[in-house]
């Protein structure tokens, strides 16, 4: 059945020529063709192509990743292409299509090189794709500093509007954190929704948060971001319930100063934020209790940290068969996962997978996820995972170390894990090896370098430091069993007539318990 133009009672539809009707169809179908009338100059450059921050591999999983049921559940709940039903004209009813958000990116090149600005915009494209959007075009503008009114300046904002109209986009994503006035000014010009980098990251966190604590942390971060950005819409936000007018309308008991609706919303948000902070504070003791148990038992802790999509969860699965969710997307996992592991000589330790970091990580997220990031700050060793196939691995390392400083983790011993070596440029790998003296080159997908990494972990974690020569009676087999556990190293073991003679290295807590069995001969 062939669709025909709507020629009902609307006179505009009856006056349209076939060429105009075809133009409407093309605009609504929004063909994926970038705006060709946009010319790249020294101060304004369009960026095309898929986001380089997301790998192009189809085989993102290995046998070490397990069944990945969480990933199947997440993808089952994803939006499918086609959810928007906006109409620009009633004549488009016959030709509209349901679709995902279609976005155009905009960024400023104010410092660094053009390659740095383009990499930042490609990372923004990866964030938008992770959030479920379709990236149509991107624009980098050379400018010394952002315009206080529209971020880009009125002239460039008008050019951005032309790109939005040509591509059929319904959202503009800006590669910076916009002031509320800048967002409003830009929206008034481009006539579509405008969001900034911080709002996009918060949206991804809201989609991926799974645990009760994670959801509370994300909601708190979103409310902190929203509070100064509440926007009134005409009379709907200016209602007063007090004073002479309110008293005349509502009678006795209602006279007073009154509040606008936006003031009421702000008060409700502050109340909700206070409640969320209490809930997160109430959840903190459970995590601290587990951490205290590990410290009391002197179990070394190793934290896997690094830039988002660097392969942290894949590395955890490779080292411990944890089976945690692995997805080729940014911020795929938010909730920390702790697994038990052992060195080749039987010394036990814990491996903790943490939330990924990103350049210009919103301060709201750092504060909201501080209890989660404490896993890094309280660890004995940090495995700093770096994606060496990324266009700017040095920038990733600098961004992660900046977050380490914010959570007081810079003094903890650090091993740079150069991951995805199978897909990286050998010259880039060699350059990073020269820059970072304490490094291991691995590939979580192929298993390259995993044995060397395990040796580095074994050498890097705190070892038992107290040497004892023990004579343990045969009726105290429980002590022999404890020495074979993961908090002691047995150097020699000899069974004699009067008991078992053992030379061991133990931690201070166990040394006090074994003091009465020390052989003084």
């Amino acid at each position: 059945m062939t669709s025909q133009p709507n020629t009902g009672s609307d006179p505009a539809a009856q006056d349209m020529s076939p060429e105009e009707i075809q133009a409407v169809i093309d605009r609504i179908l929004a063909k994926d063709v970038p705006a060709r009338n946009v010319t790249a100059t020294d101060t304004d450059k369009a960026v095309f192509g898929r986001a380089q921050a997301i790998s192009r591999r189809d085989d993102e999983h290995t046998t070490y990743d397990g069944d990945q049921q969480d990933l199947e559940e997440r993808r089952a709940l994803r939006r499918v292409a086609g959810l928007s039903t906006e109409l620009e004209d009633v004549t488009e009813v016959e030709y509209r299509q349901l679709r995902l958000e279609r976005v155009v990116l905009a960024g400023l090149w104010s410092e660094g090189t053009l390659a740095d600005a383009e990499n930042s915009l490609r990372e923004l494209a990866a964030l938008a794709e992770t959030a479920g959007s379709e990236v149509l075009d991107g624009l980098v503008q050379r400018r010394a500093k952002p315009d206080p009114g529209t971020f880009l300046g009125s002239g460039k904002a008008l050019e951005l509007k032309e790109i939005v109209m040509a591509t059929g986009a319904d959202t503009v994503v800006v590669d910076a954190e916009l002031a509320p006035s800048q967002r409003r000014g830009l929206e008034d010009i481009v006539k579509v929704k405008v969001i900034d980098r911080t709002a996009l990251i918060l949206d991804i966190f809201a989609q991926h948060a799974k645990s009760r604590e994670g959801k509370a942390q994300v909601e708190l971060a979103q409310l902190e971001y929203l509070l100064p950005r509440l926007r009134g819409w005409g009379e709907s936000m200016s209602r007063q319930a007090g004073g002479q007018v309110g008293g005349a309308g509502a009678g006795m008991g209602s006279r007073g100063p009154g509040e606008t609706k936006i003031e009421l919303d702000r008060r409700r948000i502050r109340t909700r934020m206070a409640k969320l902070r209490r809930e997160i504070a109430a959840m903190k003791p459970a995590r601290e209790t587990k951490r205290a148990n590990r410290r009391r038992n002197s179990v070394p802790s190793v934290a896997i940290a690094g830039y988002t999509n660097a392969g942290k969860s894949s590395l955890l699965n490779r080292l411990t068969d944890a089976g945690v969710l692995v997805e080729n997307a940014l911020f795929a996992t938010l909730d920390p996962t702790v697994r038990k592991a052992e060195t080749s000589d039987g010394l036990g330790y814990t491996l903790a997978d943490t939330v990924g970091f990103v350049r210009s990580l919103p301060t709201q997220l750092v504060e909201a996820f501080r209890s989660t990031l404490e896993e890094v700050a309280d660890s004995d060793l940090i495995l700093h995972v770096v994606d060496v196939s990324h266009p700017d691995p040095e920038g990733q390392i600098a961004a992660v170390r900046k977050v380490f400083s914010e959570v007081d983790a810079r003094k903890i011993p650090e091993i740079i894990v150069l991951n995805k070596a199978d897909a990286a440029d050998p010259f880039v790998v060699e350059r990073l090896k020269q820059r970072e003296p304490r490094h291991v080159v691995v590939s979580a997908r192929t298993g390259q370098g995993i044995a060397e990494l395990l040796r580095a972990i074994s050498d890097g974690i705190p070892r038992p430091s107290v040497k004892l020569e023990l004579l343990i009676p045969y009726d105290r087999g429980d002590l022999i069993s404890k020495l074979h556990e993961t908090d002691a190293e047995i150097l020699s073991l000899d069974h004699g007539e009067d008991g078992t003679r053992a030379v061991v290295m133990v931690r201070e807590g166990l040394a006090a318990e074994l003091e009465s069995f020390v052989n003084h001969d």
Side-chain angles (χ1 to χ4, degrees):
M1 178 178 177
T2 304
S3 298
Q4 297 295 328
N6 182 359
T7 57
S9 58
D10 184 32
Q14 298 175 358
D15 295 338
M16 292 177 67
S17 66
E19 291 78 10
E20 292 173 331
I21 294 175
Q22 186 61 44
V24 171
I25 296 173
D26 291 342
R27 185 169 73 251
I28 300 306
L29 293 179
K31 296 177 180 179
D32 297 333
V33 178
R36 296 304 179 187
N37 58 339
V38 181
T39 58
T41 64
D42 292 337
T43 60
D44 191 15
K45 184 175 180 62
V47 178
F48 305 103
R50 189 167 184 262
Q52 292 186 10
I54 295 181
S55 169
R56 291 174 173 81
R57 285 203 199 99
D58 294 328
D59 52 342
E60 57 180 319
H61 297 119
T62 67
T63 55
Y64 293 90
D65 294 325
D67 295 335
Q68 291 292 307
Q69 294 180 356
D70 291 340
L71 180 59
E72 294 300 324
E73 177 184 353
R74 174 179 294 178
R75 288 180 173 173
L77 296 175
R78 281 251 186 232
R79 293 179 295 174
V80 296
L83 285 182
S84 177
T85 56
E86 300 97 348
L87 298 179
E88 296 183 9
D89 192 293
V90 71
T91 60
E92 300 170 1
V93 172
E94 296 284 341
Y95 309 107
R96 69 187 179 192
Q97 68 169 355
L98 300 176
R99 62 194 182 195
L100 288 172
E101 286 180 297
R102 302 163 65 84
V103 303
V104 171
L105 312 178
L108 285 187
W109 172 22
S110 56
E111 58 184 13
T113 64
L114 177 60
D116 294 335
E118 291 183 350
N119 285 334
S120 180
L121 203 68
R122 290 190 180 100
E123 181 177 271
L124 186 68
L127 289 168
E129 291 176 8
T130 301
S133 300
E134 182 182 1
V135 179
L136 302 178
D137 207 346
L139 192 67
V140 175
Q141 181 198 355
R142 178 64 166 166
R143 190 182 179 95
K145 60 181 180 180
D147 180 74
T150 61
F151 185 76
L152 297 174
S154 57
K156 294 300 178 184
L158 289 173
E159 291 184 21
L160 180 61
K161 177 183 178 181
E162 294 176 1
I163 297 174
V164 168
M165 295 178 61
T167 57
D170 51 28
T171 305
V172 170
V173 184
V174 177
D175 192 19
E177 183 168 342
L178 296 178
S181 59
Q182 290 174 324
R183 179 184 172 184
R184 288 196 298 269
L186 195 56
E187 279 185 344
D188 290 342
I189 294 176
V190 299
K191 305 300 182 183
V192 295
K193 180 174 66 175
V194 175
I195 64 173
D196 58 14
R197 181 188 180 92
T198 300
L200 182 59
I201 294 175
L202 290 173
D203 183 77
I204 296 172
F205 271 59
Q207 291 184 45
H208 292 177
K210 189 172 182 180
S211 68
R212 179 167 170 260
E213 183 175 8
K215 292 178 179 178
Q217 290 168 330
V218 172
E219 184 180 355
L220 176 60
Q222 286 181 312
L223 291 177
E224 287 179 345
Y225 173 80
L226 176 64
L227 185 60
R229 291 171 172 81
L230 284 181
R231 182 176 180 180
W233 293 95
E235 296 181 357
S236 64
M237 301 294 281
S238 60
R239 290 174 242 158
Q240 297 279 351
Q244 294 298 320
V245 176
M252 291 184 293
S254 62
R255 298 181 179 92
E259 288 181 292
T260 62
K261 189 173 185 299
I262 198 169
E263 289 170 346
L264 289 171
D265 289 342
R266 285 177 180 148
R267 182 155 54 86
R268 291 190 185 102
I269 287 177
R270 292 191 184 98
T271 303
R272 179 60 179 167
M273 288 170 59
K275 182 180 179 181
L276 287 171
R277 289 193 178 99
R278 290 194 298 269
E279 290 179 358
I280 294 173
M283 300 174 198
K284 188 176 180 180
R287 192 181 300 279
E288 289 183 341
T289 299
K290 296 177 183 178
R291 199 177 296 131
N293 287 336
R294 296 198 295 267
R295 282 198 295 263
R296 184 170 60 252
N297 296 325
S298 301
V299 179
S301 61
V302 179
I304 303 176
Y307 213 79
T308 180
N309 206 39
K312 299 181 297 298
S313 298
S314 298
L315 189 63
L316 178 67
N317 289 341
R318 171 68 71 166
L319 294 175
T320 65
D321 294 329
V324 299
L325 183 145
V326 172
E327 185 178 12
N328 186 23
L330 307 189
F331 298 115
T333 52
L334 301 183
D335 301 314
T337 302
V338 181
R339 291 293 184 268
K340 184 178 179 181
E342 288 187 12
T343 63
S344 58
D345 55 355
L347 185 65
Y349 61 94
T350 59
L351 267 173
D353 181 22
T354 60
V355 62
F357 304 142
V358 73
R359 188 181 291 104
S360 303
L361 187 68
T363 55
Q364 297 94 337
L365 284 176
V366 176
E367 291 302 319
F369 278 78
R370 186 166 292 276
S371 60
T372 300
L373 296 175
E374 287 173 357
E375 292 288 348
V376 178
D378 291 341
S379 62
D380 298 304
L381 179 67
I382 297 176
L383 300 184
H384 182 168
V385 184
V386 181
D387 177 7
V388 287
S389 66
H390 189 271
D392 183 24
E394 288 91 352
Q396 290 192 348
I397 294 175
V400 172
R401 284 176 172 165
K402 181 179 178 182
V403 180
F404 284 170
S405 300
E406 294 178 5
V407 296
D408 300 325
R410 287 294 287 127
K411 295 181 179 180
I412 299 174
E414 175 188 18
I415 298 176
I416 295 292
V417 182
L418 303 177
N419 192 26
K420 304 185 183 180
D422 57 313
D425 185 344
F427 293 100
V428 176
V429 176
E430 189 62 33
R431 186 180 74 216
L432 289 171
K433 288 168 65 176
Q434 297 296 326
R435 288 173 55 95
E436 302 292 340
R438 195 176 185 185
H439 64 266
V440 181
V441 180
V442 305
S443 171
R445 187 176 70 92
T446 65
Q448 171 190 346
I450 295 298
E452 183 182 353
L453 176 60
L454 289 172
R455 287 194 296 271
I457 294 174
S458 179
D459 296 338
I461 60 177
R463 316 283 299 191
S465 58
V466 181
K467 185 176 182 179
L468 298 177
E469 296 184 12
L470 305 174
L471 177 60
I472 302 175
Y474 285 122
D475 60 351
R476 293 303 307 272
D478 58 309
L479 295 179
I480 298 295
S481 177
K482 181 170 292 189
L483 291 176
H484 280 90
E485 292 178 356
T486 57
D487 56 353
E489 291 184 71
I490 299 177
L491 303 181
S492 66
L493 205 63
D494 183 30
H495 301 286
E497 294 181 359
D498 49 354
T500 301
R501 296 179 182 273
V503 180
V504 296
M505 299 291 294
V506 297
R507 304 191 190 278
E508 294 181 358
L510 185 57
E513 185 178 345
L514 297 173
E515 181 65 31
S516 59
F517 299 95
V518 174
N519 185 8
H520 299 285
D521 295 342

